[in-house]
Amino acid sequence: MNDSDLKRLSRLTAILIVLQTKRLLTASELAEKFLISKRTIYRDIKALEQAGVPILTEEGKGYTLMDGYKIPPVMFSESEANALITAEQLVLKNKDASFVKEYTAAISKIKSVLRNNTKDKANLLSNRIVSGLNNNNDRTSNNLSTLQLALTNFNLVRIKYFSPDNNQTTNRVIEPFAMYTFDENWLLIAFCRLRKDYRAFRLDRIADLTVEDEVFEPHKITFEEYFDRTRKKCLPPLP
């Protein structure tokens, strides 16, 4: 097998992994990611199909893998394992307890598929990395994982939210839209039905939270458009 064949085999494997991680991908997106032409992508997709990979083509939308199809566990390189271990040390300093719990569970599963030699080195590295963030290991919220699920499943959420500006707690019905972290705290961007506009909610100020079965229509606004709106107002809108 020559270098050209090895490169193509590596690319075919990478395309398969990317298809497994995303719902839909267009030929243009794949071509841009792998720095090749769309014609080459068409040939690669055909090669994967001929190898028995169940790739579905949604006209005008892109490629997707048949539901239920999974490739075998991926073997991580030492550098990839090191990157994950480094990220783990940062996550352990996060102030949301649910995020720490879920990531710790995920990283344990990842470690289980590492080769023994790589696993030993990863464990060594984890004992040699220290993060200076959140030195007291404070946990100020426990709702990140729940809100992430509500966001991706378009569930309405009822919260009791404390606002230090007027020292009041109000009941809100919100539509989760996006999340970002700021100054070591997580914030939820959501459409607030009380204020009839988008608001930023700090997770450590949510006193109570209930995820409803009722779903809402997916938001048309993008994250970039939200930030453009808040920039024009000079200050982010208060909850």
Side-chain angles (χ1 to χ4, degrees):
M1 185 178 289
N2 57 37
D3 287 346
S4 178
D5 291 334
L6 285 172
K7 286 180 180 177
R8 190 181 187 213
L9 179 59
S10 177
R11 187 175 68 246
L12 289 173
T13 303
I15 289 174
L16 185 52
I17 292 171
V18 171
L19 284 172
Q20 186 172 256
T21 59
K22 290 200 173 183
R23 173 71 182 88
L24 274 172
L25 280 169
T26 65
S28 296
E29 289 172 331
L30 288 168
E32 183 177 351
K33 180 174 181 61
F34 294 102
L35 302 177
I36 54 178
S37 67
K38 287 198 293 183
R39 179 176 295 181
T40 301
I41 288 295
Y42 297 145
R43 288 200 297 264
D44 286 349
I45 293 295
K46 186 175 181 179
L48 288 170
E49 290 173 334
Q50 290 173 340
V53 178
I55 298 176
L56 305 178
T57 303
E58 295 193 17
E59 198 65 36
K61 293 184 178 179
Y63 301 109
T64 185
L65 287 176
M66 182 182 293
D67 280 347
Y69 179 80
K70 298 290 183 184
I71 62 175
V74 177
M75 297 306 295
F76 293 92
S77 69
E78 185 176 344
S79 294
E80 290 168 339
N82 287 346
L84 291 167
I85 294 301
T86 302
E88 179 186 24
Q89 301 310 307
L90 298 176
V91 171
L92 291 174
K93 293 295 186 178
N94 196 271
K95 291 186 177 181
D96 187 88
S98 66
F99 182 41
V100 174
K101 177 185 175 182
E102 297 298 340
Y103 190 90
T104 301
I107 205 71
S108 294
K109 292 178 181 178
I110 290 172
K111 286 180 179 178
S112 71
V113 303
L114 297 177
R115 298 181 183 90
N116 287 336
N117 185 43
T118 304
K119 189 181 301 184
D120 291 341
K121 292 180 180 180
N123 288 329
L124 171 64
L125 183 63
S126 66
N127 293 324
R128 302 291 176 86
I129 291 182
V130 177
S131 171
L133 299 174
N134 191 16
N135 287 323
N136 295 324
N137 291 323
D138 295 329
R139 301 287 185 249
T140 57
S141 66
N142 192 30
N143 294 318
L144 180 62
S145 295
T146 300
L147 288 170
Q148 287 173 330
L149 290 172
L151 188 157
T152 55
N153 290 289
F154 307 110
N155 291 110
L156 282 177
V157 178
R158 294 183 182 274
I159 63 172
K160 289 183 178 179
Y161 191 76
F162 173 73
S163 177
D165 296 303
N166 51 24
N167 201 32
Q168 289 184 343
T169 299
T170 54
N171 294 313
R172 311 291 186 97
V173 177
I174 59 174
E175 303 173 5
F177 166 64
M179 311 196 77
Y180 70 98
T181 182
F182 176 76
D183 195 23
E184 299 184 33
N185 288 295
W186 283 98
L187 289 91
L188 170 71
I189 308 301
F191 183 85
C192 176
R193 292 191 171 181
L194 177 66
R195 304 300 188 211
K196 295 182 172 52
D197 200 359
Y198 290 91
R199 291 291 187 266
F201 299 93
R202 274 182 50 163
L203 267 59
D204 59 339
R205 293 177 183 170
I206 295 177
D208 191 32
L209 178 152
T210 302
V211 178
E212 302 290 327
D213 291 332
E214 184 181 349
V215 298
F216 58 88
E217 288 292 323
H219 300 275
K220 302 293 190 233
I221 189 174
T222 66
F223 213 164
E224 291 75 14
E225 289 170 340
Y226 167 80
F227 277 114
D228 285 342
R229 283 178 50 178
T230 56
R231 259 189 234 108
K232 289 175 182 177
K233 294 178 181 179
C234 296
L235 293 172
L238 295 173

